[in-house]
C-alpha cells in the first residue's frame, strides 16, 4: 500500500473509488458545485433523516471517478468520531479489495480533513492487516494499492507530517501483531530475546539478555520457577533507550512475555488454550514500543523489560504449593501454577529497580477475571500513583485504547495470605484482576510510581473488532508510544 497526498481539485482527480465522510458539523471534504455535490447534499439529508442507514456505495463513472462510497458519522454510533474515521477508512479499503480497485482516494480537503488524516491512515494500515504467513495464497492486493489523500493546499505540510507519523506507528503495531499471532512453538523466550537483540542492533538500543544460568546466579527465582517445566529456558530481556537531552526520568515499561501458557501443572482446559500463544502480548507491546521510541527519540530515558518463559507441565515443573523466595526477600507460595504472569513480572520489577527506574508501567495479559469484569473492549488499569494512571489513560484515549481503572483496596490484601509463606500467588475466586494487582503492588520498587495494565480482554479477538480483523490487536503499543512522547510534558523535571 502506497499513500500519496494531493491537493488537486476534485474535478481533476482520477480514482477507482472516491471515499467521502460526512458529519453534521465537521467538514472532512469539500466539493465544488457539480453532480457529485448534489449527490452528497442529498445523501447528507437522507442520512440525517435516517432514511439511509448504511454506507452508500454506487458506481459513478463521471469524469475520473469510477465509484463513490459515502459514510456518515451517524453510522457506528458506538464509537467516537476518531474511532469512526478509522473504521470507515478500514471499510473503504475492504470495498477496494473486494472489487480489486487499485486506487482509492479519500476526500479530506475540508476544513477538518487534515485533523483526521492520521486516523484515516491508521485505519487503512491496521484495518488491512491479516496474519497470512502460513497461507499458500497470499493477498497481493495491498502491494498494488495506491491510497490517495486529497487535502487542502494549505494543509499539505501538516498532512505529510501526520501521514508519516501515523503510518510509522501503525506499521509497528502490525509488526507487533504479527509476532503475537505466531504459534507458541515458533516464538519462545530465546526467539523473543533474539528479536530484541536485532531491534537493539538496528536502532542503537542497549540490549541485555539474562539466560537461565544468569537468572539462577542472580536469583531471579520467580522467572526460573515458572520456566522449569519447559524445554525452552526463560530469558530476562531489557532494552535501554537513553535520551540525548539529560533527563532525571527513567520510565520502565515491563511486559509479560509468557510465550505459551498451558497453565502448568494447574493446567488450563483445552478449549481456547490456543489463545495463550498470545500470552506474550504485553512483552511484544513493550518490545515494539521501544522500537518506535528508538526512532522517535523522546526527551526521557526509557527501558523496556520483558520477563519471558513458557509455562508448561512437566516432571520438572513447579508444583502447586511450592514456595520460593523472591528477589526482595519475600517468600511466595504458588497455590496455582496458572497464575504465572504475576510471578515473572515481579522479577522484572526487581530488574527495573536495579536499572534505577523512577516510573514503572507494566502491561500484561494477566487475568481472565478482568475480561469478566470489563469485557474485551477495555483493559483494566491499576496502580499506586494517580497522576501516572491518569497520564496512561489519557494516552490511551488519544488512540482509541480504552483503559478503565480498578481499585486496589487495602482490605483485599488479606485474600493473599497463606499460613506457609509471606504471600500466596492467588487470592480466591472474587476480584481476581484486583488481587493480581495487589500481589504486584507488594513487589513494586520503593519510591517508584507504578501503573499496571491488564490487557487480557483486548489483546486478541476471534472475530473482527472495529478496524481490526481477527487475531492480535497489538493493544498497548499506541498508548505506550504516546505516553513516552508526552512523558516529559506530563512530568516536568
Ligand atoms: N494468561 C492468563 C490470563 C488470561 C486469560 C489472559 C484469558 C488472556 C485471556 C493468566 O496467566 C492466568 O491463567 N490467570 C489465571 C489466574 C488464576 C489462576 C488466579 C486466570 O485468570 O484464570
Ligand atoms: Zn496462567
Ligand atoms: Zn498467563
Amino acid at each position: 500500500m502506497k499513500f500519496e497526498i494531493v491537493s488537486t481539485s476534485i474535478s481533476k482527480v482520477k480514482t477507482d473509488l472516491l471515499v467521502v465522510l460526512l458529519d453534521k458539523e465537521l467538514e472532512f471534504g469539500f466539493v465544488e458545485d457539480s453532480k457529485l455535490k448534489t449527490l452528497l447534499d442529498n445523501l447528507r439529508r437522507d442520512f440525517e433523516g435516517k432514511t439511509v442507514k448504511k454506507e452508500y456505495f454506487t458506481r459513478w463513472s463521471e469524469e475520473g471517478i469510477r465509484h463513490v462510497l459515502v459514510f456518515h458519522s451517524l453510522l457506528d454510533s458506538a464509537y467516537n468520531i476518531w474511532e469512526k474515521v478509522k473504521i470507515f477508512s478500514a471499510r473503504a479499503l475492504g470495498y477496494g479489495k473486494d472489487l480489486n480497485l487499485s486506487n482509492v482516494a479519500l476526500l479530506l480537503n475540508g476544513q477538518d480533513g487534515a485533523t483526521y488524516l492520521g486516523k484515516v491512515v491508521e485505519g487503512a494500515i491496521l484495518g488491512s492487516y491479516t496474519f497470512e504467513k502460513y497461507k499458500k495464497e497470499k493477498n497481493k492486493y495491498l502491494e498494488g494499492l495506491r491510497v490517495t489523500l486529497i487535502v487542502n493546499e494549505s494543509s499539505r505540510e501538516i498532512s505529510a507530517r501526520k501521514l508519516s507519523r501515523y503510518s510509522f506507528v501503525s506499521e509497528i503495531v502490525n509488526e507487533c501483531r504479527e509476532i503475537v499471532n505466531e504459534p507458541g512453538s515458533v516464538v519462545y523466550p530465546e526467539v523473543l530475546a533474539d528479536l530484541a537483540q536485532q531491534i537493539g542492533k538496528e536502532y542503537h538500543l542497549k540490549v541485555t539478555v539474562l539466560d537461565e544460568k544468569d537468572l539462577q546466579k542472580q536469583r531471579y527465582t520467580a522467572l526460573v520457577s515458572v520456566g522449569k517445566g519447559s524445554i525452552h529456558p526463560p530469558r530476562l530481556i531489557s532494552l535501554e533507550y537513553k535520551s540525548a537531552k539529560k533527563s532525571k526520568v527513567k520510565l520502565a515499561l515491563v511486559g509479560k512475555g509468557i510465550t505459551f501458557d498451558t497453565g502448568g501443572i494447574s493446567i488450563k482446559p483445552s478449549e481456547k488454550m490456543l489463545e495463550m500463544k498470545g500470552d506474550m502480548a504485553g512483552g511484544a507491546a513493550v518490545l515494539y514500543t521501544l522500537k518506535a521510541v528508538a526512532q522517535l527519540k523522546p526527551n526521557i530515558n526509557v527501558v523496556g523489560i520483558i520477563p519471558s518463559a513458557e509455562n508448561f507441565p512437566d516432571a520438572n515443573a513447579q508444583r502447586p504449593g511450592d514456595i520460593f523466595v523472591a528477589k526482595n526477600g519475600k517468600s511466595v507460595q504458588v497455590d496455582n501454577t496458572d497464575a504465572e504472569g504475576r510471578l515473572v513480572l515481579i522479577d522484572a520489577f526487581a530488574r527495573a529497580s536495579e536499572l534505577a527506574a523512577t516510573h514503572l508501567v507494566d502491561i500484561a495479559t494477566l487475568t481472565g477475571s478482568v475480561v469478566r469484569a470489563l469485557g474485551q473492549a477495555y483493559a483494566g488499569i491499576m496502580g499506586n500513583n494517580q497522576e501516572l494512571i491518569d497520564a496512561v489513560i489519557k494516552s490511551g484515549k488519544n488512540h482509541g485504547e480504552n483503559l478503565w481503572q480498578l481499585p486496589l483496596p487495602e482490605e483485599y490484601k488479606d485474600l493473599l495470605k497463606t499460613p506457609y509463606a509471606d504471600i500466596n500467588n492467588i487470592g480466591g475466586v472474587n476480584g481476581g484482576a484486583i488481587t493480581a494487582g495487589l500481589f504486584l503492588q507488594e513487589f513494586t520498587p520503593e519510591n517508584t510510581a507504578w501503573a499496571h495494565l491488564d490487557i487480557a480482554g483486548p489483546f486478541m479477538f476471534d472475530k473482527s473488532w472495529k478496524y481490526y480483523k481477527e487475531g492480535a490487536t497489538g493493544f498497548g503499543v499506541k498508548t505506550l508510544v504516546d505516553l513516552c512522547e508526552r512523558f516529559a510534558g506530563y512530568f516536568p523535571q
Side-chain angles (χ1 to χ4, degrees), residues 324-374:
F324 65 83
V325 178
K327 255 192 168 284
N328 71 349
K330 281 191 183 149
S331 61
V332 178
Q333 179 174 325
V334 182
D335 258 19
N336 191 319
T337 64
D338 196 12
E340 84 299 340
R342 62 198 74 181
L343 302 180
V344 302
L345 287 173
I346 64 176
D347 269 352
F349 286 10
R351 179 88 176 118
S353 166
E354 276 165 17
L355 294 171
T358 55
H359 300 73
L360 171 57
V361 175
D362 78 77
I363 175 164
T365 47
L366 205 61
T367 66
S369 162
V370 80
V371 196
R372 301 284 103 69
L374 300 175

Side-chain angles (χ1 to χ4, degrees), residues 270-381:
S270 56
E271 195 205 342
K272 287 183 115 190
M273 196 200 270
L274 72 94
E275 274 191 6
M276 289 301 108
K277 69 178 182 175
D279 210 20
M280 34 59 82
V286 166
L287 182 58
Y288 285 95
T289 297
L290 264 291
K291 178 169 177 178
V293 161
Q295 296 166 78
L296 294 169
K297 305 190 195 307
N299 289 330
I300 56 159
N301 302 310
V302 184
V303 51
I305 303 173
I306 304 159
S308 185
E310 188 180 57
N311 190 21
F312 252 64
D314 180 81
N316 198 39
Q318 66 174 344
R319 297 154 168 80
D322 277 1
I323 296 170
F324 65 83
V325 178
K327 255 192 168 284
N328 71 349
K330 281 191 183 149
S331 61
V332 178
Q333 179 174 325
V334 182
D335 258 19
N336 191 319
T337 64
D338 196 12
E340 84 299 340
R342 62 198 74 181
L343 302 180
V344 302
L345 287 173
I346 64 176
D347 269 352
F349 286 10
R351 179 88 176 118
S353 166
E354 276 165 17
L355 294 171
T358 55
H359 300 73
L360 171 57
V361 175
D362 78 77
I363 175 164
T365 47
L366 205 61
T367 66
S369 162
V370 80
V371 196
R372 301 284 103 69
L374 300 175
Q376 280 200 273
Y378 281 78
I381 182 165

Side-chain angles (χ1 to χ4, degrees), residues 52 61 119 129 215 262 266 299 318 403-404 410 426 491:
V52 170
S61 310
K119 305 296 178 186
Y129 168 80
L215 294 171
T262 64
S266 315
N299 289 330
Q318 66 174 344
L403 299 156
W404 195 262
E410 177 125 19
I426 56 167
F491 300 94

